[in-house]
Amino acid sequence: MDWSPLLSTLTGAAIGIVATLIADRNRWKREDIKEALRLRLDVYTQYTTTVKALGETLRALARREHSSDDERAFALREAFRDSGMGVASERMWLIAPHAVVKASDSVFHCLRRICDGYVDGTAVGSPEDRARWEARGTAAAKMRKLMREDLGVGPLTERHTPLLDAYSDPAAQ
């Protein structure tokens, strides 16, 4: 009996099965990479929008009239606590690479200093306030740059953080 046709068929089948398994594995890896990018994009979007919303809220609360310094302090601290910044920050710590986590933590601490400054009575638009906002803008720009690099998108060609001249206009922020 001639075994060569049977061996050829079995060899062809084995090669076909292995090729299919390799192709499936490569497809799964590509899908895993895409899903990881989508997840990081979601985390980064949540964090950056939370940063922006919290900044606007803090500035609005600092401008508002309050019946006492204690009421102002309470409103500012409550806004920080209720902003979702803690959840967004924890998601960042779980998902993002170290450089992005470090940059996002810097932005978080800038916002904390802004809030604490307003609690201590710093006036909106004062030199101290402007310096804190400029530090936040610089930290946020660095964070966004690292996020874009991590996601594989190119750098921005224009500045999206407010310039000092536009500082007093919240709509420009």
Side-chain angles (χ1 to χ4, degrees):
M1 176 168 186
D2 187 14
W3 291 94
S4 56
L6 181 59
L7 289 175
S8 296
T9 302
L10 288 173
T11 303
I15 290 171
I17 290 170
V18 169
T20 301
L21 290 174
I22 291 172
D24 285 346
R25 182 175 177 267
N26 288 338
R27 182 174 40 84
W28 293 331
K29 283 173 77 174
R30 282 191 307 273
E31 288 175 9
D32 283 349
I33 290 169
K34 285 181 188 176
E35 182 58 29
L37 279 173
R38 277 191 289 265
L39 179 59
R40 287 197 313 277
L41 175 61
D42 178 53
V43 169
Y44 295 169
T45 302
Q46 178 191 17
Y47 195 84
T48 56
T49 54
T50 301
V51 163
K52 184 160 181 64
L54 177 56
E56 291 170 357
T57 300
L58 292 175
R59 186 176 289 138
L61 286 171
R63 284 188 172 136
R64 188 177 301 157
E65 289 293 321
H66 298 278
S67 61
S68 69
D69 290 342
D70 287 342
E71 181 190 316
R72 175 184 171 153
F74 178 79
L76 288 160
R77 288 188 177 119
E78 192 71 17
F80 203 99
R81 193 173 18 260
D82 292 344
S83 69
M85 195 69 191
V87 171
S89 185
E90 287 301 318
R91 288 188 78 201
M92 187 71 73
W93 277 87
L94 292 172
I95 299 299
H98 178 72
V100 176
V101 169
K102 188 174 175 183
S104 69
D105 199 42
S106 178
V107 172
F108 178 90
H109 289 291
C110 286
L111 283 168
R112 175 52 70 192
R113 283 190 288 278
I114 289 167
C115 182
D116 291 344
Y118 290 152
V119 166
D120 293 338
T122 300
V124 174
S126 69
E128 282 179 278
D129 186 45
R130 291 172 64 104
R132 288 183 184 120
W133 279 101
E134 186 62 29
R136 195 231 29 113
T138 301
K142 179 181 178 183
M143 177 189 69
R144 284 190 301 272
K145 178 183 179 286
L146 290 169
M147 288 174 172
R148 293 178 66 82
E149 287 172 4
D150 181 46
L151 294 171
V153 281
L156 292 174
T157 57
E158 61 187 58
R159 183 179 172 148
H160 285 325
T161 54
L163 299 173
L164 286 177
D165 296 338
Y167 180 83
S168 60
D169 180 14
Q173 310 272 325

